[in-house]
PDB file of all heavy atoms in Angstrom:
ATOM      1  N   LEU N 222     -74.871 -42.336 -15.157  1.00  0.00           N
ATOM      2  CA  LEU N 222     -74.757 -40.910 -14.864  1.00  0.00           C
ATOM      3  C   LEU N 222     -74.030 -40.653 -13.551  1.00  0.00           C
ATOM      4  O   LEU N 222     -74.235 -41.348 -12.560  1.00  0.00           O
ATOM      5  CB  LEU N 222     -76.148 -40.275 -14.811  1.00  0.00           C
ATOM      6  CG  LEU N 222     -77.003 -40.439 -16.073  1.00  0.00           C
ATOM      7  CD1 LEU N 222     -78.336 -39.719 -15.904  1.00  0.00           C
ATOM      8  CD2 LEU N 222     -76.262 -39.942 -17.304  1.00  0.00           C
ATOM      9  N   THR N 223     -73.212 -39.608 -13.540  1.00  0.00           N
ATOM     10  CA  THR N 223     -72.503 -39.158 -12.355  1.00  0.00           C
ATOM     11  C   THR N 223     -73.425 -38.274 -11.507  1.00  0.00           C
ATOM     12  O   THR N 223     -74.466 -37.812 -11.983  1.00  0.00           O
ATOM     13  CB  THR N 223     -71.271 -38.325 -12.738  1.00  0.00           C
ATOM     14  OG1 THR N 223     -71.720 -37.059 -13.244  1.00  0.00           O
ATOM     15  CG2 THR N 223     -70.421 -39.022 -13.790  1.00  0.00           C
ATOM     16  N   PRO N 224     -73.030 -37.998 -10.253  1.00  0.00           N
ATOM     17  CA  PRO N 224     -73.792 -37.031  -9.448  1.00  0.00           C
ATOM     18  C   PRO N 224     -73.778 -35.626 -10.046  1.00  0.00           C
ATOM     19  O   PRO N 224     -74.598 -34.792  -9.662  1.00  0.00           O
ATOM     20  CB  PRO N 224     -73.072 -37.053  -8.092  1.00  0.00           C
ATOM     21  CG  PRO N 224     -72.360 -38.357  -8.047  1.00  0.00           C
ATOM     22  CD  PRO N 224     -71.975 -38.658  -9.456  1.00  0.00           C
ATOM     23  N   ASP N 225     -72.856 -35.366 -10.956  1.00  0.00           N
ATOM     24  CA  ASP N 225     -72.727 -34.048 -11.587  1.00  0.00           C
ATOM     25  C   ASP N 225     -73.181 -34.076 -13.039  1.00  0.00           C
ATOM     26  O   ASP N 225     -72.639 -33.348 -13.887  1.00  0.00           O
ATOM     27  CB  ASP N 225     -71.265 -33.587 -11.512  1.00  0.00           C
ATOM     28  CG  ASP N 225     -70.784 -33.410 -10.082  1.00  0.00           C
ATOM     29  OD1 ASP N 225     -71.234 -32.454  -9.428  1.00  0.00           O
ATOM     30  OD2 ASP N 225     -69.967 -34.225  -9.622  1.00  0.00           O
ATOM     31  N   ASN N 226     -74.186 -34.876 -13.351  1.00  0.00           N
ATOM     32  CA  ASN N 226     -74.594 -35.034 -14.747  1.00  0.00           C
ATOM     33  C   ASN N 226     -75.026 -33.718 -15.383  1.00  0.00           C
ATOM     34  O   ASN N 226     -74.782 -33.491 -16.572  1.00  0.00           O
ATOM     35  CB  ASN N 226     -75.724 -36.060 -14.857  1.00  0.00           C
ATOM     36  CG  ASN N 226     -76.067 -36.362 -16.295  1.00  0.00           C
ATOM     37  OD1 ASN N 226     -75.260 -36.934 -17.019  1.00  0.00           O
ATOM     38  ND2 ASN N 226     -77.257 -35.961 -16.742  1.00  0.00           N
ATOM     39  N   ASP N 227     -75.673 -32.838 -14.617  1.00  0.00           N
ATOM     40  CA  ASP N 227     -76.095 -31.554 -15.185  1.00  0.00           C
ATOM     41  C   ASP N 227     -74.892 -30.758 -15.666  1.00  0.00           C
ATOM     42  O   ASP N 227     -74.916 -30.146 -16.746  1.00  0.00           O
ATOM     43  CB  ASP N 227     -76.908 -30.751 -14.175  1.00  0.00           C
ATOM     44  CG  ASP N 227     -76.160 -30.482 -12.867  1.00  0.00           C
ATOM     45  OD1 ASP N 227     -75.208 -31.230 -12.540  1.00  0.00           O
ATOM     46  OD2 ASP N 227     -76.531 -29.517 -12.162  1.00  0.00           O
ATOM     47  N   VAL N 228     -73.809 -30.781 -14.867  1.00  0.00           N
ATOM     48  CA  VAL N 228     -72.594 -30.059 -15.247  1.00  0.00           C
ATOM     49  C   VAL N 228     -71.948 -30.706 -16.468  1.00  0.00           C
ATOM     50  O   VAL N 228     -71.524 -30.018 -17.407  1.00  0.00           O
ATOM     51  CB  VAL N 228     -71.600 -30.004 -14.075  1.00  0.00           C
ATOM     52  CG1 VAL N 228     -70.313 -29.268 -14.486  1.00  0.00           C
ATOM     53  CG2 VAL N 228     -72.235 -29.327 -12.872  1.00  0.00           C
ATOM     54  N   PHE N 229     -71.893 -32.042 -16.488  1.00  0.00           N
ATOM     55  CA  PHE N 229     -71.257 -32.726 -17.614  1.00  0.00           C
ATOM     56  C   PHE N 229     -72.014 -32.501 -18.921  1.00  0.00           C
ATOM     57  O   PHE N 229     -71.395 -32.298 -19.975  1.00  0.00           O
ATOM     58  CB  PHE N 229     -71.120 -34.223 -17.321  1.00  0.00           C
ATOM     59  CG  PHE N 229     -69.864 -34.568 -16.582  1.00  0.00           C
ATOM     60  CD1 PHE N 229     -69.924 -35.141 -15.313  1.00  0.00           C
ATOM     61  CD2 PHE N 229     -68.617 -34.318 -17.130  1.00  0.00           C
ATOM     62  CE1 PHE N 229     -68.768 -35.472 -14.624  1.00  0.00           C
ATOM     63  CE2 PHE N 229     -67.451 -34.642 -16.459  1.00  0.00           C
ATOM     64  CZ  PHE N 229     -67.529 -35.215 -15.199  1.00  0.00           C
ATOM     65  N   GLU N 230     -73.338 -32.546 -18.885  1.00  0.00           N
ATOM     66  CA  GLU N 230     -74.097 -32.278 -20.110  1.00  0.00           C
ATOM     67  C   GLU N 230     -73.852 -30.849 -20.590  1.00  0.00           C
ATOM     68  O   GLU N 230     -73.705 -30.600 -21.790  1.00  0.00           O
ATOM     69  CB  GLU N 230     -75.588 -32.520 -19.871  1.00  0.00           C
ATOM     70  CG  GLU N 230     -75.960 -33.981 -19.751  1.00  0.00           C
ATOM     71  CD  GLU N 230     -77.460 -34.188 -19.761  1.00  0.00           C
ATOM     72  OE1 GLU N 230     -78.211 -33.190 -19.829  1.00  0.00           O
ATOM     73  OE2 GLU N 230     -77.891 -35.366 -19.712  1.00  0.00           O
ATOM     74  N   TYR N 231     -73.798 -29.928 -19.650  1.00  0.00           N
ATOM     75  CA  TYR N 231     -73.503 -28.536 -19.993  1.00  0.00           C
ATOM     76  C   TYR N 231     -72.112 -28.400 -20.612  1.00  0.00           C
ATOM     77  O   TYR N 231     -71.926 -27.713 -21.627  1.00  0.00           O
ATOM     78  CB  TYR N 231     -73.619 -27.657 -18.751  1.00  0.00           C
ATOM     79  CG  TYR N 231     -73.021 -26.290 -18.909  1.00  0.00           C
ATOM     80  CD1 TYR N 231     -73.729 -25.258 -19.529  1.00  0.00           C
ATOM     81  CD2 TYR N 231     -71.727 -26.030 -18.459  1.00  0.00           C
ATOM     82  CE1 TYR N 231     -73.156 -24.003 -19.689  1.00  0.00           C
ATOM     83  CE2 TYR N 231     -71.152 -24.778 -18.617  1.00  0.00           C
ATOM     84  CZ  TYR N 231     -71.871 -23.777 -19.228  1.00  0.00           C
ATOM     85  OH  TYR N 231     -71.297 -22.534 -19.400  1.00  0.00           O
ATOM     86  N   LEU N 232     -71.120 -29.037 -19.992  1.00  0.00           N
ATOM     87  CA  LEU N 232     -69.748 -28.961 -20.507  1.00  0.00           C
ATOM     88  C   LEU N 232     -69.658 -29.535 -21.917  1.00  0.00           C
ATOM     89  O   LEU N 232     -69.002 -28.953 -22.795  1.00  0.00           O
ATOM     90  CB  LEU N 232     -68.795 -29.708 -19.577  1.00  0.00           C
ATOM     91  CG  LEU N 232     -68.541 -29.092 -18.198  1.00  0.00           C
ATOM     92  CD1 LEU N 232     -67.761 -30.062 -17.323  1.00  0.00           C
ATOM     93  CD2 LEU N 232     -67.796 -27.768 -18.324  1.00  0.00           C
ATOM     94  N   ALA N 233     -70.289 -30.689 -22.127  1.00  0.00           N
ATOM     95  CA  ALA N 233     -70.246 -31.313 -23.449  1.00  0.00           C
ATOM     96  C   ALA N 233     -70.894 -30.415 -24.486  1.00  0.00           C
ATOM     97  O   ALA N 233     -70.372 -30.236 -25.598  1.00  0.00           O
ATOM     98  CB  ALA N 233     -70.939 -32.673 -23.404  1.00  0.00           C
TER      99      ALA N 233
END
Side-chain angles (χ1 to χ4, degrees):
L222 303 182
T223 72
D225 297 289
N226 186 67
D227 58 338
V228 179
F229 273 118
E230 287 190 358
Y231 166 82
L232 291 171

